[in-house]
Amino acid sequence: MFRYIVRRLLQMVLAFFGTTLIVYALMFAGQGDPIQALAGERPVSAAQRAYLTEKFHLDQHGVGGFFYRYADYVTNLLRGDLGESLTGRKIGDILAQAWPVTAKLALIGLLVAIIIGVTCGVVAGIRRGGVFDNATLVLTLLVLGVPTIVLAPLAQYLLGVKLSLFPPTAGADPSLYALLLPGIVLGCLSLATALRLTRTSVAENLRSDYVRTAKAKGLPTRRVVGVHVLRNSLIPVITFLGVELGNLMGGAIITEGVFNIPGVGFNLFRAIRTEDGPLVVGLVSVLVVVYLVSNLVVDVLYAVLDPRIRYE
């Protein structure tokens, strides 16, 4: 197990630098005039343009200029410095403010997927073909068919404005209650997928030979399902939820925009719109680390859930 973790960590290092290189290349290739994009319609003086051009090495052109800027970014990154955005703010300070908000939002979405999705999936798998199974099938297909860009404003209008059950917007310093509705909206797609995945896995394991053997030995149904079936059925669900955690952290752009949440997704969208390359690369770098670590944790959990899985 130790050698496997070390090998995975080395692979994570390569994946991290490869991903940041690609993101940096995309920002470098598609960059127009980031200084003017940052200023909007306001004029930029020659002194301001010269200062920002020299500070962010925007005068370096071509392939050589790209690798020079990327090497400078990696050097600062290895020192723990994410650099500064084009607005002059430190990216580390922006992350320090945005990260806790997005982490709470993603955690709410993940809990919704686990508590509701997995529980309903187990019940639907046990009672496959019944009324509950068919009802959840229709509801999950409906949720999967509605994109977040439609679901978020719809939930905001019905539950936030009309019924006043939740705050319509989160604001600059959102409380946990204010993040509850956007967290539920964010976790709806994960909930639907987790429910169908759990249902399929439970229904398949209930038809396995070891279940028939356990029942033949006289074990109660509650123990067969709760210990044997559920443990084996959770392996694909854990895989999905581990990958989904990274997706929830980075995929909250629409939800944070609709509910006015100053999180990572909100700042990432604003950085892309203003062509703030350093901020985009810095935020994506952190999201890549979260995604890689969550995948490593999932792989280690395999051996915990199923003793037959061993890493040599």
Side-chain angles (χ1 to χ4, degrees), residues 192-276:
T193 306
L195 194 154
R196 299 313 304 170
L197 190 61
T198 306
R199 183 263 179 202
T200 303
S201 185
V202 169
E204 181 180 352
N205 279 286
L206 283 174
R207 295 192 293 266
S208 301
D209 293 335
Y210 71 88
V211 173
R212 288 193 290 267
T213 302
K215 290 181 177 179
K217 290 182 176 180
L219 291 178
T221 305
R222 180 178 299 179
R223 179 172 177 80
V224 173
V225 174
V227 177
H228 301 285
V229 174
L230 188 59
R231 189 170 184 176
N232 288 312
S233 300
L234 282 180
I235 293 179
V237 180
I238 290 294
T239 304
F240 166 74
L241 293 176
V243 175
E244 194 66 13
L245 177 61
N247 295 333
L248 289 174
M249 293 296 295
I253 296 178
I254 296 175
T255 307
E256 290 183 354
V258 171
F259 290 95
N260 194 26
I261 301 173
V264 175
F266 182 83
N267 283 279
L268 182 60
F269 173 74
R270 186 170 58 183
I272 294 173
R273 187 182 59 190
T274 58
E275 299 184 20
D276 194 339

Side-chain angles (χ1 to χ4, degrees), residues 116 120-121 123-125 130-143 192 195-196 199:
I116 301 178
C120 293
V123 176
V131 176
F132 185 81
D133 184 23
N134 293 327
T136 54
L137 174 61
V138 174
L139 289 176
T140 51
L141 290 177
L142 181 62
V143 171
L195 194 154
R196 299 313 304 170
R199 183 263 179 202

Side-chain angles (χ1 to χ4, degrees), residues 70 77 79 85 94 127 169 216 239 246 253 262:
Y70 180 71
L77 188 65
R79 294 199 299 259
S85 68
I94 297 175
R127 302 178 180 179
T169 57
T239 304
I253 296 178

